Amino acid sequence: MQNTDTIAALATAPGTGGIAIVRVSGTEAEAVLRQLFRPQRDFESHKMYYGHAEYQGETLDECMAVLMRAPKSYTREDVAEFHMHGGEWAANSLLTALFRLGVRAAEPGEFTKRAFLNGRIDLSRAEAVMALISAEGGRAARAAVRQLSGGVSAFIRDAQTELLHLLSGVAAAIDYPEEISFEEAAGEMTAGALTLAEKLENACDERGARIARQGLEAVLCGRPNVGKSSLLNALSRQQRAIVTDIPGTTRDIIRADVMLQGVRVHFADTAGLRESADNIEKIGVELARQAIAGADVVLTVLDASAPLSEEDGQLLRDTADAPRIIVLNKGDLPQVLNPRDFENSVLVSAATGHGMEELENKVIAYAAGAGESALTQERHMHLARQASAALRRAAEACELGEAVDVAAVELHEALALLGRVTGEQVDEKLIDDIFSRFCVGK
């Protein structure tokens, strides 16, 4: 599974920039550094040197270089880095020289893969590297940092320790039946297995993890001309939707992404909900209803300057069971509707900005706890739920009076599943699949 050849790749984003870093890892890293860096010198590990990158007498760039000798490097192999001027020519020229010297182009995620295979990080921490790179908001980034710092590893180790304790009790009952009765062993194992199963289930918050990773879905709905499009423009701080006095202007779903308190919020302005003979508008209304059904929070928009219409009443009934905020828009006009008459409501004016901060705070409250559960990666949560199911099967076997060794099989299954989270028990196919999603150079 483990490669021993030397690899290289651009470790910074391609294109024009201030600095381009070319990373080399493997047994020949120091040798190629000596061949390509001038002036020649004895490199002290982890010390940056100034000079030039040269190949076959041609100066490729003025640069800095550093050698990090194993095992004190990202991959636990010898690692050399060239810090060059940003831009494609210099870095590509150096990479071409490295490849001509026998260095291989790194595959996606291969540096981090080597860090995992060489025991520097476990699999959950390796996945955290990519999660941190791709994080689009503070919540997702903080969740990735906790995982990178060993939060998932510590949680899984604690669960494995509890499992091993249960298994030792089962083993003792099997080996010494005259000293430990079946009832005694089964009672302790059942209670412990159910407690651990619940702990694993509580660590999985799919909704919160999705919101932290992908963002909060917030849908604006209401009858035509209550100001939904104006609200979307105010929330996004840009002209995203057309605003007119003509009912039915918005027919398709118009989206705007806004970063609020470290969470990306996907606001969607939908078609005004009403009966219409216009086939295009009918399609827009149906899309609006579908968006409402899948929203994390529904912003039910009413016109504060007009009495409730029959359409408003139907909308309030249709969204009664949804997670919603009742938004009384047009608060700059003489008010007919009172916010105190509605649950979880806010009076705003998209025209003047009044109440918008309060509305944003109410929206972001629906992301409370997002990314704060012990497990936030989909793969980890899936394995934890499978382990929980195995624990419940073990408890059920004891409750039905089956042999203790039947429960032991399920406990071993749970232990193996948790080992797949950190990579203790993992096959080459899974490793290749995980690291293939990484960017080249990481």
Side-chain angles (χ1 to χ4, degrees):
M1 184 186 296
Q2 190 166 347
N3 291 317
T4 57
D5 49 353
T6 301
I7 58 175
L10 182 66
T12 48
T16 304
I19 293 177
I21 299 176
V22 174
R23 177 178 291 161
V24 186
S25 181
T27 55
E28 298 301 312
E30 182 170 355
V32 295
L33 175 63
R34 291 181 181 278
Q35 286 180 269
L36 296 175
F37 186 77
R38 296 291 181 272
Q40 293 185 344
R41 61 177 73 246
D42 291 328
F43 286 92
E44 182 180 338
S45 184
H46 291 78
K47 183 176 180 180
M48 189 77 78
Y49 293 92
Y50 166 78
H52 293 80
E54 296 183 6
Y55 179 63
Q56 294 183 342
E58 179 185 1
T59 299
L60 305 179
D61 193 12
E62 179 185 37
C63 68
M64 306 287 286
V66 60
L67 173 68
M68 293 164 275
R69 291 193 175 92
K72 295 181 178 181
S73 71
Y74 183 66
T75 60
R76 277 195 175 170
E77 301 173 334
D78 284 352
V79 171
E81 287 185 352
F82 295 82
H83 293 233
M84 315 181 72
H85 288 101
E88 295 185 2
W89 187 88
N92 287 341
S93 297
L94 179 61
L95 284 169
T96 298
L98 286 165
F99 299 152
R100 288 175 179 171
L101 292 174
V103 176
R104 175 173 63 78
E107 297 173 357
E110 192 168 2
F111 292 101
T112 305
K113 182 178 181 180
R114 291 189 175 200
F116 163 67
L117 294 174
N118 292 330
R120 182 182 176 274
I121 54 177
D122 65 27
L123 195 56
S124 68
R125 293 190 187 189
E127 289 170 292
V129 172
M130 196 59 210
L132 186 57
I133 292 172
S134 59
E136 293 188 354
R139 298 282 184 98
R142 286 193 292 272
V145 168
R146 284 199 306 274
Q147 186 176 329
L148 187 59
S149 301
V152 171
S153 305
F155 176 80
I156 294 298
R157 279 198 303 271
D158 289 345
Q160 289 173 318
T161 299
E162 293 181 44
L163 258 172
L164 290 171
H165 176 73
L166 294 176
L167 278 166
S168 65
V170 171
I174 293 173
D175 294 338
Y176 306 103
E178 68 283 354
E179 296 181 19
I180 303 175
S181 68
F182 168 82
E183 291 76 13
E184 181 182 0
E188 181 180 351
M189 202 285 298
T190 299
L194 292 175
T195 298
L196 182 54
E198 185 175 359
K199 178 180 178 180
L200 290 172
E201 290 162 5
N202 290 338
C204 302
D205 178 11
E206 281 87 352
R207 177 184 177 276
R210 174 186 57 77
I211 289 172
R213 186 173 60 252
Q214 300 176 2
L216 184 80
E217 295 289 340
V219 173
L220 287 78
C221 66
R223 62 177 171 80
N225 274 19
V226 293
K228 299 186 302 300
S229 297
S230 297
L231 267 176
L232 181 73
N233 292 338
L235 288 164
S236 63
R237 297 164 180 81
Q238 57 180 309
Q239 197 73 18
R240 291 290 298 154
I242 298 173
V243 178
T244 73
D245 294 329
I246 303 171
T249 301
T250 302
R251 299 189 175 197
D252 203 350
I253 294 177
I254 300 173
R255 302 183 183 277
D257 290 354
V258 181
M259 190 67 71
L260 296 179
Q261 300 177 28
V263 176
R264 185 171 294 280
V265 182
H266 306 291
F267 286 105
D269 178 22
T270 61
L273 298 180
R274 65 171 180 173
E275 295 298 325
S276 174
D278 187 314
N279 286 333
I280 297 177
E281 190 174 355
K282 281 182 179 179
I283 295 172
V285 170
E286 180 56 32
L287 289 174
R289 296 190 189 282
Q290 293 175 12
I292 291 169
D296 294 306
V297 56
V298 175
L299 277 62
T300 303
V301 185
L302 304 175
D303 184 346
S305 66
L308 288 178
S309 68
E310 183 178 339
E311 290 171 328
D312 290 328
Q314 186 60 50
L315 176 65
L316 290 170
R317 290 188 291 273
D318 289 345
T319 60
D321 295 330
R324 75 177 179 186
I325 303 167
I326 296 178
V327 183
L328 303 180
N329 192 24
K330 304 187 182 180
D332 53 310
L333 302 178
Q335 295 177 38
V336 174
L337 302 183
N338 191 326
R340 290 192 292 271
D341 295 334
F342 302 91
E343 185 179 355
N344 195 27
S345 66
V346 56
L347 179 68
V348 305
S349 169
T352 67
H354 172 77
M356 295 302 296
E357 183 177 355
E358 182 183 356
L359 174 58
E360 291 176 356
N361 289 335
K362 282 183 175 290
V363 168
I364 209 65
Y366 285 86
E372 295 178 4
S373 57
L375 303 177
T376 57
Q377 293 265 345
E378 185 176 344
R379 187 181 76 88
H380 302 167
M381 290 187 285
H382 177 66
L383 289 168
R385 290 201 181 281
Q386 286 185 308
S388 174
L391 286 163
R392 292 192 180 279
R393 289 195 299 270
E396 183 180 7
C398 288
E399 290 171 344
L400 294 174
E402 297 180 11
V404 178
D405 53 356
V406 174
V409 172
E410 297 292 355
L411 294 181
H412 278 291
E413 173 67 10
L415 193 63
L417 287 163
L418 294 180
R420 289 176 67 83
V421 174
T422 55
E424 296 168 18
Q425 298 194 27
V426 68
D427 55 48
E428 186 172 356
K429 184 177 181 300
L430 176 63
I431 292 175
D432 290 342
D433 178 64
I434 288 173
F435 288 103
S436 67
R437 304 172 196 169
F438 279 51
C439 51
V440 174
K442 194 57 185 172

PDB file of all heavy atoms in Angstrom, residues 182 186 393-394 396-407:
ATOM      1  N   PHE A 182     -24.197 -16.063  34.071  1.00  0.00           N
ATOM      2  CA  PHE A 182     -24.676 -15.471  32.826  1.00  0.00           C
ATOM      3  C   PHE A 182     -25.499 -14.225  33.113  1.00  0.00           C
ATOM      4  O   PHE A 182     -25.366 -13.206  32.448  1.00  0.00           O
ATOM      5  CB  PHE A 182     -25.528 -16.491  32.053  1.00  0.00           C
ATOM      6  CG  PHE A 182     -26.283 -15.883  30.902  1.00  0.00           C
ATOM      7  CD1 PHE A 182     -25.663 -15.665  29.687  1.00  0.00           C
ATOM      8  CD2 PHE A 182     -27.617 -15.495  31.041  1.00  0.00           C
ATOM      9  CE1 PHE A 182     -26.354 -15.093  28.629  1.00  0.00           C
ATOM     10  CE2 PHE A 182     -28.306 -14.930  29.990  1.00  0.00           C
ATOM     11  CZ  PHE A 182     -27.665 -14.723  28.775  1.00  0.00           C
ATOM     12  N   ALA A 186     -24.606 -10.676  31.674  1.00  0.00           N
ATOM     13  CA  ALA A 186     -25.557 -10.134  30.713  1.00  0.00           C
ATOM     14  C   ALA A 186     -26.125  -8.808  31.178  1.00  0.00           C
ATOM     15  O   ALA A 186     -26.301  -7.873  30.386  1.00  0.00           O
ATOM     16  CB  ALA A 186     -26.684 -11.137  30.466  1.00  0.00           C
ATOM     17  N   ARG A 393     -28.029  -4.668  19.191  1.00  0.00           N
ATOM     18  CA  ARG A 393     -28.253  -6.089  18.921  1.00  0.00           C
ATOM     19  C   ARG A 393     -27.617  -6.950  20.010  1.00  0.00           C
ATOM     20  O   ARG A 393     -28.174  -7.984  20.410  1.00  0.00           O
ATOM     21  CB  ARG A 393     -27.689  -6.469  17.558  1.00  0.00           C
ATOM     22  CG  ARG A 393     -28.480  -5.903  16.375  1.00  0.00           C
ATOM     23  CD  ARG A 393     -28.097  -6.597  15.069  1.00  0.00           C
ATOM     24  NE  ARG A 393     -26.689  -6.419  14.738  1.00  0.00           N
ATOM     25  CZ  ARG A 393     -26.217  -5.416  14.009  1.00  0.00           C
ATOM     26  NH1 ARG A 393     -27.038  -4.472  13.556  1.00  0.00           N
ATOM     27  NH2 ARG A 393     -24.925  -5.336  13.741  1.00  0.00           N
ATOM     28  N   ALA A 394     -26.446  -6.512  20.488  1.00  0.00           N
ATOM     29  CA  ALA A 394     -25.786  -7.246  21.573  1.00  0.00           C
ATOM     30  C   ALA A 394     -26.638  -7.218  22.846  1.00  0.00           C
ATOM     31  O   ALA A 394     -26.802  -8.232  23.524  1.00  0.00           O
ATOM     32  CB  ALA A 394     -24.404  -6.641  21.841  1.00  0.00           C
ATOM     33  N   GLU A 396     -29.853  -6.783  22.984  1.00  0.00           N
ATOM     34  CA  GLU A 396     -31.072  -7.567  22.737  1.00  0.00           C
ATOM     35  C   GLU A 396     -30.793  -9.064  22.889  1.00  0.00           C
ATOM     36  O   GLU A 396     -31.626  -9.810  23.430  1.00  0.00           O
ATOM     37  CB  GLU A 396     -31.595  -7.281  21.340  1.00  0.00           C
ATOM     38  CG  GLU A 396     -32.902  -7.986  21.013  1.00  0.00           C
ATOM     39  CD  GLU A 396     -33.396  -7.683  19.605  1.00  0.00           C
ATOM     40  OE1 GLU A 396     -32.647  -7.037  18.845  1.00  0.00           O
ATOM     41  OE2 GLU A 396     -34.516  -8.105  19.280  1.00  0.00           O
ATOM     42  N   ALA A 397     -29.612  -9.505  22.437  1.00  0.00           N
ATOM     43  CA  ALA A 397     -29.255 -10.926  22.569  1.00  0.00           C
ATOM     44  C   ALA A 397     -29.221 -11.348  24.026  1.00  0.00           C
ATOM     45  O   ALA A 397     -29.689 -12.433  24.397  1.00  0.00           O
ATOM     46  CB  ALA A 397     -27.907 -11.173  21.901  1.00  0.00           C
ATOM     47  N   CYS A 398     -28.677 -10.485  24.877  1.00  0.00           N
ATOM     48  CA  CYS A 398     -28.626 -10.798  26.306  1.00  0.00           C
ATOM     49  C   CYS A 398     -30.023 -10.788  26.920  1.00  0.00           C
ATOM     50  O   CYS A 398     -30.359 -11.641  27.751  1.00  0.00           O
ATOM     51  CB  CYS A 398     -27.726  -9.804  27.032  1.00  0.00           C
ATOM     52  SG  CYS A 398     -25.975 -10.036  26.687  1.00  0.00           S
ATOM     53  N   GLU A 399     -30.839  -9.827  26.514  1.00  0.00           N
ATOM     54  CA  GLU A 399     -32.192  -9.744  27.064  1.00  0.00           C
ATOM     55  C   GLU A 399     -33.037 -10.949  26.669  1.00  0.00           C
ATOM     56  O   GLU A 399     -33.939 -11.370  27.402  1.00  0.00           O
ATOM     57  CB  GLU A 399     -32.864  -8.457  26.585  1.00  0.00           C
ATOM     58  CG  GLU A 399     -32.260  -7.199  27.217  1.00  0.00           C
ATOM     59  CD  GLU A 399     -32.786  -5.917  26.586  1.00  0.00           C
ATOM     60  OE1 GLU A 399     -33.377  -6.006  25.477  1.00  0.00           O
ATOM     61  OE2 GLU A 399     -32.607  -4.838  27.182  1.00  0.00           O
ATOM     62  N   LEU A 400     -32.744 -11.546  25.498  1.00  0.00           N
ATOM     63  CA  LEU A 400     -33.484 -12.726  25.044  1.00  0.00           C
ATOM     64  C   LEU A 400     -32.919 -14.018  25.611  1.00  0.00           C
ATOM     65  O   LEU A 400     -33.422 -15.105  25.307  1.00  0.00           O
ATOM     66  CB  LEU A 400     -33.474 -12.785  23.510  1.00  0.00           C
ATOM     67  CG  LEU A 400     -34.219 -11.662  22.779  1.00  0.00           C
ATOM     68  CD1 LEU A 400     -34.014 -11.765  21.272  1.00  0.00           C
ATOM     69  CD2 LEU A 400     -35.703 -11.707  23.125  1.00  0.00           C
ATOM     70  N   GLY A 401     -31.840 -13.914  26.408  1.00  0.00           N
ATOM     71  CA  GLY A 401     -31.255 -15.083  27.041  1.00  0.00           C
ATOM     72  C   GLY A 401     -30.349 -15.891  26.143  1.00  0.00           C
ATOM     73  O   GLY A 401     -30.061 -17.061  26.440  1.00  0.00           O
ATOM     74  N   GLU A 402     -29.903 -15.309  25.037  1.00  0.00           N
ATOM     75  CA  GLU A 402     -28.992 -16.033  24.159  1.00  0.00           C
ATOM     76  C   GLU A 402     -27.613 -16.121  24.800  1.00  0.00           C
ATOM     77  O   GLU A 402     -27.291 -15.421  25.753  1.00  0.00           O
ATOM     78  CB  GLU A 402     -28.909 -15.322  22.803  1.00  0.00           C
ATOM     79  CG  GLU A 402     -30.239 -15.292  22.057  1.00  0.00           C
ATOM     80  CD  GLU A 402     -30.136 -14.578  20.726  1.00  0.00           C
ATOM     81  OE1 GLU A 402     -28.998 -14.300  20.302  1.00  0.00           O
ATOM     82  OE2 GLU A 402     -31.187 -14.291  20.114  1.00  0.00           O
ATOM     83  N   ALA A 403     -26.765 -16.994  24.256  1.00  0.00           N
ATOM     84  CA  ALA A 403     -25.431 -17.193  24.818  1.00  0.00           C
ATOM     85  C   ALA A 403     -24.644 -15.881  24.797  1.00  0.00           C
ATOM     86  O   ALA A 403     -24.801 -15.066  23.884  1.00  0.00           O
ATOM     87  CB  ALA A 403     -24.679 -18.258  24.018  1.00  0.00           C
ATOM     88  N   VAL A 404     -23.791 -15.693  25.788  1.00  0.00           N
ATOM     89  CA  VAL A 404     -23.026 -14.455  25.902  1.00  0.00           C
ATOM     90  C   VAL A 404     -22.114 -14.254  24.704  1.00  0.00           C
ATOM     91  O   VAL A 404     -21.871 -13.122  24.280  1.00  0.00           O
ATOM     92  CB  VAL A 404     -22.213 -14.452  27.214  1.00  0.00           C
ATOM     93  CG1 VAL A 404     -21.366 -13.192  27.318  1.00  0.00           C
ATOM     94  CG2 VAL A 404     -23.126 -14.577  28.408  1.00  0.00           C
ATOM     95  N   ASP A 405     -21.622 -15.362  24.137  1.00  0.00           N
ATOM     96  CA  ASP A 405     -20.703 -15.212  23.009  1.00  0.00           C
ATOM     97  C   ASP A 405     -21.407 -14.666  21.762  1.00  0.00           C
ATOM     98  O   ASP A 405     -20.761 -14.116  20.868  1.00  0.00           O
ATOM     99  CB  ASP A 405     -19.993 -16.522  22.695  1.00  0.00           C
ATOM    100  CG  ASP A 405     -20.952 -17.684  22.496  1.00  0.00           C
ATOM    101  OD1 ASP A 405     -22.163 -17.483  22.666  1.00  0.00           O
ATOM    102  OD2 ASP A 405     -20.480 -18.793  22.179  1.00  0.00           O
ATOM    103  N   VAL A 406     -22.743 -14.790  21.688  1.00  0.00           N
ATOM    104  CA  VAL A 406     -23.494 -14.171  20.600  1.00  0.00           C
ATOM    105  C   VAL A 406     -23.394 -12.647  20.711  1.00  0.00           C
ATOM    106  O   VAL A 406     -23.179 -11.947  19.721  1.00  0.00           O
ATOM    107  CB  VAL A 406     -24.977 -14.612  20.619  1.00  0.00           C
ATOM    108  CG1 VAL A 406     -25.781 -13.848  19.573  1.00  0.00           C
ATOM    109  CG2 VAL A 406     -25.090 -16.111  20.392  1.00  0.00           C
ATOM    110  N   ALA A 407     -23.534 -12.142  21.933  1.00  0.00           N
ATOM    111  CA  ALA A 407     -23.381 -10.710  22.159  1.00  0.00           C
ATOM    112  C   ALA A 407     -21.957 -10.256  21.882  1.00  0.00           C
ATOM    113  O   ALA A 407     -21.718  -9.154  21.369  1.00  0.00           O
ATOM    114  CB  ALA A 407     -23.780 -10.359  23.583  1.00  0.00           C
TER     115      ALA A 407
END
